[in-house]
Amino acid sequence: MTFNLLISHHPDATIAACHGDTSSFFDGKAEEIVGKTLSELNLLFYNKDQQKLADGELPVQHIAASKKPLPATDLAITRKKGENPCWVRVTGYPELDENGNVTKIITSYTGTLGEPGQKPEIPREFEKDSNWEKTFNAIGDIITILSPDLKVVKANRATYTVFGLSEGELLGQYCYQVFFGGDEPCERCPVWQPERGTSPGTEIVYNERINKTFAVSSSPILNDQGELQYLVHTARDISQLIRDEEVRNILSAAVEQTSDSIIITDHYGNIQYINPFCSKITGFSREDVTGKSLDFLHEVDQIESSFQAIAGKLWKGESWQGRLTGRRKDGTTFEEDVTISPITEEDGSITNCIAVKRDISKEILLQQQLQQTMKMEAIGTLAGGIAHDFNNILAAMIGYAQLAKGRITDSDEANADIEEVILAGDRAADLVKQILTFSRQDKVGALYPTKIQILLKEIVKLLRSSFPATIEIRQKIDNSSAAILADPTQIHQVIMNLCANAKQAIGDTYGSITITLKNYTVGGSQFLQQNTKLTQGKYIHLSIGDTGIGMSEEMQAKVFDPFFTTKPKNQGTGLGLAVVHGIVEGHGGVIAIESAPQEGTTFHLLFPSIIEKVKDKNKSGETPPRGNEKIMVVDDEKALSSMIKAMLNGLGYTVEMYTDSLAAVANYRQRPQDFDVILTDMTMPNMTGTELAREALSLRPEIPVILMTGYSESIDEEKAAYIGLSSFLFKPIEKTELAKTIRKVLDHGIHSHS
């Protein structure tokens, strides 16, 4: 059996690498002989006279000592005791550094296994049709034998196939011309190294002609005098390997840069890798978790309860998907969607598992917020219906009380009692508006001159009825505080939110909440000067302070961030103070915090003040205007329509009353010119107020129509104008307001909405 073997030695004669027929020669793998000497591998060398070479006379030692190439020498080698020797031809050379010291020794062994005394059988040089030729052509790598001047002497079949050349086109040609189309040797070609120093070299070379990348190496063939005779040039196509490597690099970059957490474990579930995003979101470094179980990054009880389901899926070769609670290094937790998949061999055995996790804390909070919004919308719908019915009752109660008050003198003993009934009715009407405001159904967005002290009056009543008796609510309200231009609904929301936070801070202990309201000018509180961005002008200063647990400076820096919360899990969305901050800034105001741990917290709010009188609907003493026109009143509530009729009769008007909207329209069709104004309720059976208005205006477009409503989302100023209404009034309707509205639409045709 013919073999070829190339061995690279360290200067101490130990083997660094082995190439060629290693398994045939050593009965073992190349990696098993690295680091050993030939003597340690039980190799015995004999000369042609079959005399054993002494230790120190072996070819590699001879080259190391002489620092010169070894001419071709025939030796016999036995690999183990009792074995027939194999005859080999040995050549070799040293590699020297710039100081002439040996850095590497290369030895080449070529021969045939045979009997002792048998003459070595060295393959004849490039003999055609020999076993060597068959082996040469069977190799899938490109192999060419070059002369020292780089002309192709011989090439294997793979060379012709890859380059699509014939022998005539290849043999005798310079390799750099035929393979690369160049006029001179390739700059990085490894054949240059053996040609100059008679030592092998390796390079990665891209061939543009055939769009392939090769691992190119070359080795020298020396003659008996140690001179370079030929070069063996080998090229292995590694194009696919490079493409695979590029794909792996892309996948690696994707894993490293993705915004999902990726964890790879062994098949026991012990962590081997986490990507940077996982480190970022959990606070654990790769070193912190490597070797630890996957449950290290989760709540242990949850992982244990899910273990059977996860393991069952994975052992079937399937992925498990679910929701788990992740754990951060600081001890906090967060919700995440998790997919765990097995990584398997071709036979289906699991080698690793990969977990892809996505933090869904914000999505859960938004979902909770949406559910809360939907719940409040449902409450608002219910409140709207209640408001309509309740306002009808209030309208009748207040209206009849006003009628009764008009029939007696101011000195009558019943006058004060009736006045209290009217005031109570007004407070009840305000309560309905508060219900609508709380349920988020009242119209928001428009800014009106607003006195915060009026809002505080009702808010404090609500707080005292809902907060525990252990919390004292203190007020320092300057009733002369100026008005601000604001959306009352949103200011109401701000105050309620801050008071709710104060209650939370106090907890179950005894404490107090202090609400302060006063005028403020620049140059007042040093704290406010230093901690708010104030411009020149006058402000309203609202502060809400508590005696609760207080906040650290670090917490104060984060308190207005969306989703930041100090409340326990499932007890807050972390959106409250972010919303407060947005509302205050949206009103041109500023907000600042004054707090310290265990010393309570005070929120300071500043709003630009305005000089404008705020309408006081409880103002009395104004004489309602009178008239003598004919008015059609339509309301399905008989008590209410009777009260309005009596009220208008008292003001000098002629009134025709209807409790059936269809009957009212039927009579109006017969004599539309008999009426000067139509006053109709909004919500009625058979025909609504808007439908009645359209019908009336279609017969007589110029007739004023005033719509009365307890509460309805279906009517606003824009829709009222589109329908053609002259005005609309919200119940309960005050006598003076009704009288003034009727006179405006009759005398001036003014569209008025009250």
Side-chain angles (χ1 to χ4, degrees), residues 221-242:
I221 299 177
L222 308 178
N223 60 19
D224 292 345
Q225 289 73 42
E227 298 169 342
L228 181 64
Q229 187 174 9
Y230 297 102
L231 289 163
V232 179
H233 181 275
T234 305
R236 172 165 292 179
D237 185 358
I238 59 170
S239 304
Q240 188 60 47
L241 292 176
I242 289 179

Side-chain angles (χ1 to χ4, degrees), residues 72 148 179 188 215 227 311 338 367 372 434 467 470 546 682 712:
F179 293 145
R188 295 180 58 196
E227 298 169 342
V338 182
Q367 186 178 30
Q372 179 70 9
Q434 284 186 31
F467 278 21
T470 54
D546 63 68
M682 172 65 184
S712 177

Side-chain angles (χ1 to χ4, degrees), residues 678-744:
I678 297 177
L679 185 63
T680 177
D681 186 27
M682 172 65 184
T683 305
M684 299 180 292
N686 300 320
M687 178 180 283
T688 66
T690 54
E691 291 172 337
L692 187 149
R694 288 193 184 96
E695 184 71 22
L697 291 168
S698 67
L699 296 172
R700 187 180 160 199
E702 74 278 6
I703 189 169
V705 179
I706 301 173
L707 187 70
M708 301 178 294
T709 177
Y711 177 79
S712 177
E713 286 185 301
S714 60
I715 190 67
D716 55 26
E717 291 188 17
E718 184 178 350
K719 191 167 185 180
Y722 177 77
I723 295 171
L725 298 176
S726 299
S727 181
F728 65 87
L729 297 169
F730 283 105
K731 298 177 183 179
I733 301 169
E734 195 265 332
K735 181 179 179 181
T736 300
E737 183 182 25
L738 174 62
K740 290 170 68 175
T741 301
I742 291 174
R743 289 284 10 127
K744 283 181 181 179

Side-chain angles (χ1 to χ4, degrees), residues 24-43:
S24 300
F25 189 79
F26 289 106
D27 288 333
K29 298 180 180 179
E31 57 265 26
E32 295 174 352
I33 68 171
V34 171
K36 299 179 181 179
T37 65
L38 296 178
S39 298
E40 289 173 343
L41 293 170
N42 298 318
L43 289 179

Side-chain angles (χ1 to χ4, degrees), residues 191-208:
V191 298
W192 275 110
Q193 298 300 325
E195 190 214 359
R196 289 196 297 267
T198 64
S199 60
T202 302
E203 287 284 354
I204 303 298
V205 178
Y206 173 68
N207 191 308
E208 192 173 311

Side-chain angles (χ1 to χ4, degrees), residues 447-453 455 482-488 491 610 614:
L447 302 180
Y448 305 99
T450 303
K451 283 198 171 184
I452 297 178
Q453 57 265 41
L455 293 175
I484 66 171
L485 193 62
D487 177 349
I491 299 301
I610 59 172
V614 180

Side-chain angles (χ1 to χ4, degrees), residues 467-468 470-472 496-514 544-552 555 559 565-568 571 577 593-603:
F467 278 21
T470 54
I471 297 178
E472 179 186 359
M496 289 295 294
N497 202 315
L498 292 177
C499 290
N501 277 355
K503 172 180 175 288
Q504 180 77 26
I506 295 171
D508 297 330
T509 61
Y510 284 91
S512 64
I513 298 174
T514 301
I544 298 175
D546 63 68
T547 58
I549 58 175
M551 290 186 283
S552 65
M555 190 178 296
V559 75
T565 180
T566 59
K567 297 177 184 178
Q571 290 189 22
L577 289 177
I593 309 171
E594 188 175 9
S595 183
Q598 306 307 319
E599 294 185 13
T601 300
T602 299
F603 284 89

Side-chain angles (χ1 to χ4, degrees), residues 67-96:
K67 298 183 181 181
K68 294 181 180 180
L70 175 70
T73 303
D74 294 337
L75 297 173
I77 300 177
T78 59
R79 298 167 294 173
K80 56 188 176 180
K81 190 174 181 180
E83 181 192 58
N84 291 332
C86 59
W87 284 95
V88 297
R89 176 161 290 174
V90 184
T91 62
Y93 60 89
E95 286 188 8
L96 308 177

